[in-house]
Amino acid sequence: MNKKILTTLVVLSSTIYLNGMDITKAPTPKKEKAKTDLGLYVTATEASKYLEANKSSILIDVRSPGELKFIGAASRMDIHVPLMLVDPSKYNPKKGGYAMKKNKYAVEEIVFELNNKKVKKDEAIFVTCRSGSTRAAPIVNALAKKGYTNVWTLVDGYEGGKAKDGQFKGERVVDGWLHSGLDWSWKVSEEKLWFECKYKELFSKEDKLKCNM
């Protein structure tokens, strides 16, 4: 069979064979901001099965510290580095609350942790945010540019999607790690949590100085 055709069939297949087991791909998200260059999407449930069977695989949570504090985190979480942080100095009129600011060192901090854990470039890495959308995808794309070839987005994220009707209409109670019967906790070990200035050695001289103020 033509090598190009074979590659295309593998990409289009809904099931991929990884490290001794099958992993079922989720459909490509409709939202453009949720799509990634690698095109690897998976549900929280499917990711959990793979993470349980393959201890060398990695789960990265890019939600804010506040989300972990009040909503919990997957017990299997390996790395926590937020992509966005609350900016208490600014107001977001569209959201009716505090504005958000980007953690400009997020990618460097994640790569630091991956290197520290000696994660191979072709190891399965799963990235989750709240709903599997605008925060996970940029991190997946950034890691792909760093040479990581097997980075997956959890399409339903940690909290899942919003209910369209019923008692909990409009609330995030549909699927996601939190609502799929998967193991999670409000308690997270200190070494896994992100803290301001935790990675100050990666910062610019100017930002390092701010850490000492």
Side-chain angles (χ1 to χ4, degrees), residues 169-184:
K169 182 179 180 180
E171 296 184 29
R172 293 190 180 280
V173 295
V174 181
D175 300 324
W177 195 284
L178 185 62
H179 303 290
S180 297
L182 306 177
D183 197 21
W184 66 276

Side-chain angles (χ1 to χ4, degrees), residues 60-63 79-83 103 106 109-110 113 194 199:
I60 303 172
D61 194 321
V62 298
R63 293 177 299 142
I79 298 171
H80 169 231
V81 172
L83 176 62
N103 172 16
E109 291 170 355
I110 289 172
E113 289 291 355
W194 179 91
Y199 302 95

Side-chain angles (χ1 to χ4, degrees), residues 2 14-16 20 34 37 46 52 54-55 66 80 95 118-119 125 130 138 146 152 155 163 179:
N2 182 282
S14 62
T15 302
I16 293 180
D37 297 332
E46 195 70 15
E52 181 63 29
N54 298 275
K55 300 303 181 183
H80 169 231
K95 297 291 185 180
K118 296 180 172 57
V119 178
I125 299 171
R130 180 181 63 175
K146 295 287 185 180
W152 298 70
V155 292
H179 303 290

Side-chain angles (χ1 to χ4, degrees), residues 119-164:
V119 178
K120 296 178 181 178
K121 290 292 182 72
D122 62 349
E123 183 60 79
I125 299 171
F126 300 92
V127 182
T128 186
C129 55
R130 180 181 63 175
S131 61
S133 185
T134 54
R135 284 181 285 178
I139 293 298
V140 171
N141 288 336
L143 291 178
K145 289 180 180 178
K146 295 287 185 180
Y148 293 91
T149 60
N150 199 7
V151 192
W152 298 70
T153 299
L154 268 65
V155 292
D156 46 350
Y158 180 77
E159 287 188 57
K162 295 179 180 179
K164 295 181 179 179

